[in-house]
Amino acid sequence: MNLFDPLQIRDITFRNRIAVSPMCEYSSEDGFATDWHLVHLGSRAVGGAGTVLTEAIAVVPEGRISPSDLGIWKDAHIDNLARIVSFLRRQGAVAGTQLAHAGFKASTDVPWRNHGKPVPVAEGGWRPIYSSTAKGFTPDSIQPEALTVDAIARVAHCFGEAARRSLEAGFELIEIHGAHGYLLHQFLSPLVNTRTDQYGGSFQNRIRIVCEVVAAVRQVWPERLPLWLRISASDWAEGGWSIEDSIVLAQEVKTLGVDLIDASSGGIVPSAKIPLGPGYQTAFAERIRRESGILTGAVGMITSPEQAQHIIATGQADLVLLARELLRDPYWPLRAAHVLKQNVQWPKQYTRAHL
């Protein structure tokens, strides 16, 4: 495989194996997409990425990380998103969105103000927030309420409604966010989930909400369109969610209609010791791919064209997702094609700068 080989998933052809990873921009008001999102996402499509995913987009207002998060909890959000989708698709990129619920990480400030501390209700925050259990991320965090069984069913329903709105907006790809210590991860991890009902305890109980969310999304998301799931493949903490758990989960959700696992890690406990380094999470994608038979995406400190090409060529993953490197250089895919001596089409408006 080659980084610039097309990838076929269901009826969608991705022009290459480079995806723009979801990156929170904290630039919305009441969940609405703005011109910032159009330019931010659109420039990466112009820059040659095969897939452009929006930031985590909240399926309910109380599921936002911050008051400035993108949302898809009401039909009024569709038109602004559709404008962005239309532009992405005209540039040849597959337009995707990541559906999310922040759980006990909700109602926090934007990272460049107050260091992401909880936002008081008087300043635009909200209470209550929710999790699998009534325990916050840290003792200084907002302490959540445990979701009732009925409320869990509502969460799954809201993911399904968000999928319907995503389809109406023209998206061709959905990724469900089950990583980084957000709500679905709060059910998966035994470090957080101490429930004693059908959603806690055993492995099958802890993955139940993820399976129900996948089923709710697939019920409205057409068979012809791809569905991805992002997970934290390891909690990086003793007694937590493990790569072995991730492999079994991947096998389970594959039967429910998930096509690709986006293999990230961490985020559930602040005490985790994560060995950061180039491609530090790629081994998770490789092992899930090999042992579960599902497509995978590698993410995490992937920066050079040679590194990305090596991941794809050696079968460690089926695509790479870049985040910070694409903030530094929106045209990284075009530069990578030059470095790797691949012939790709530049936007006609930019041909005078063709390398």
Side-chain angles (χ1 to χ4, degrees):
M1 296 187 296
N2 183 291
L3 185 63
F4 287 92
D5 284 346
L7 174 64
Q8 182 81 27
I9 305 179
R10 297 186 186 257
D11 288 356
I12 300 300
T13 301
F14 301 78
R15 63 182 171 186
N16 57 45
R17 309 300 181 99
I18 303 165
V20 179
S21 195
M23 292 178 277
C24 291
E25 295 299 298
Y26 306 103
S27 300
S28 300
E29 185 172 338
D30 191 30
F32 284 91
T34 66
D35 287 348
W36 175 269
H37 298 96
L38 174 64
V39 174
H40 164 67
L41 298 168
S43 62
R44 274 88 198 156
V46 170
T51 312
V52 179
L53 285 155
T54 72
E55 65 189 78
I57 187 166
V59 301
V60 290
E62 66 271 19
R64 291 171 291 170
I65 303 166
S66 82
S68 301
D69 281 17
L70 205 56
I72 197 165
W73 64 81
K74 55 186 176 183
D75 289 354
H77 288 143
I78 294 172
D79 285 350
N80 288 20
L81 292 168
R83 177 182 175 227
I84 295 169
V85 168
S86 176
F87 183 82
L88 299 179
R89 293 176 66 172
R90 289 201 305 275
Q91 310 318 307
V94 173
T97 189
Q98 186 190 62
L99 304 182
H101 189 305
F104 65 26
K105 290 188 172 182
S107 193
T108 56
D109 214 337
V110 298
W112 54 81
R113 185 175 60 230
N114 297 325
H115 305 288
K117 291 181 178 178
V119 179
V121 173
E123 297 176 18
W126 54 91
R127 307 293 186 275
I129 63 171
Y130 299 96
S131 181
S132 58
T133 48
K135 180 184 177 182
F137 183 58
T138 70
D140 296 329
S141 302
I142 306 166
Q143 298 307 296
E145 293 183 8
L147 285 168
T148 65
V149 171
D150 286 346
I152 291 170
R154 177 178 175 269
V155 167
H157 172 76
C158 289
F159 269 91
E161 281 294 284
R164 174 186 62 79
R165 296 184 187 103
S166 299
L167 185 63
E168 291 186 28
F171 285 107
E172 299 170 292
L173 165 68
I174 281 177
E175 177 172 272
I176 297 169
H177 199 348
H180 300 166
Y182 298 121
L183 182 68
L184 298 185
H185 190 188
Q186 291 159 30
F187 277 83
L188 294 176
S189 177
L191 298 177
V192 172
N193 186 350
T194 57
R195 297 175 73 102
T196 57
D197 63 4
Q198 65 265 45
Y199 289 95
S202 70
F203 175 85
Q204 289 296 331
N205 282 357
R206 286 183 284 111
I207 72 169
R208 190 182 306 276
I209 186 174
V210 174
C211 294
E212 290 177 350
V213 165
V214 169
V217 169
R218 258 297 167 212
Q219 188 170 6
V220 298
W221 192 240
E223 208 44 43
R224 61 185 175 82
L225 297 178
L227 178 61
W228 297 1
L229 173 65
R230 171 166 277 192
I231 63 171
S232 282
S234 171
D235 285 343
W236 297 108
E238 187 176 352
W241 182 265
S242 68
I243 179 59
E244 289 77 19
D245 293 327
S246 297
I247 292 164
V248 178
L249 176 64
Q251 293 167 337
E252 295 265 358
V253 298
K254 184 181 179 183
T255 67
L256 299 174
V258 170
D259 300 297
L260 180 144
I261 296 293
D262 177 355
S264 190
S265 68
I268 196 68
V269 290
S271 60
K273 293 179 173 57
I274 303 176
L276 296 175
Y280 70 103
Q281 298 173 138
T282 302
F284 296 136
E286 190 278 332
R287 195 168 162 197
I288 292 168
R289 183 179 189 267
R290 173 165 43 87
E291 297 187 33
S292 72
I294 199 169
L295 300 174
T296 62
V299 63
M301 298 184 75
I302 298 169
T303 57
S304 74
E306 296 87 351
Q307 178 192 15
Q309 168 66 10
H310 177 75
I311 290 169
I312 300 302
T314 56
Q316 295 177 73
D318 296 279
L319 55 81
V320 293
L321 296 103
L322 277 67
R324 295 178 201 187
E325 191 61 21
L326 283 171
L327 293 181
R328 291 184 280 264
D329 181 4
Y331 308 103
W332 186 94
L334 297 178
R335 181 167 61 83
H338 174 70
V339 170
L340 298 172
K341 297 180 170 48
Q342 297 293 310
N343 184 25
V344 300
Q345 185 175 357
W346 278 49
K348 58 182 180 293
Q349 298 91 336
Y350 287 7
T351 52
R352 282 176 292 182
H354 195 293
L355 295 169

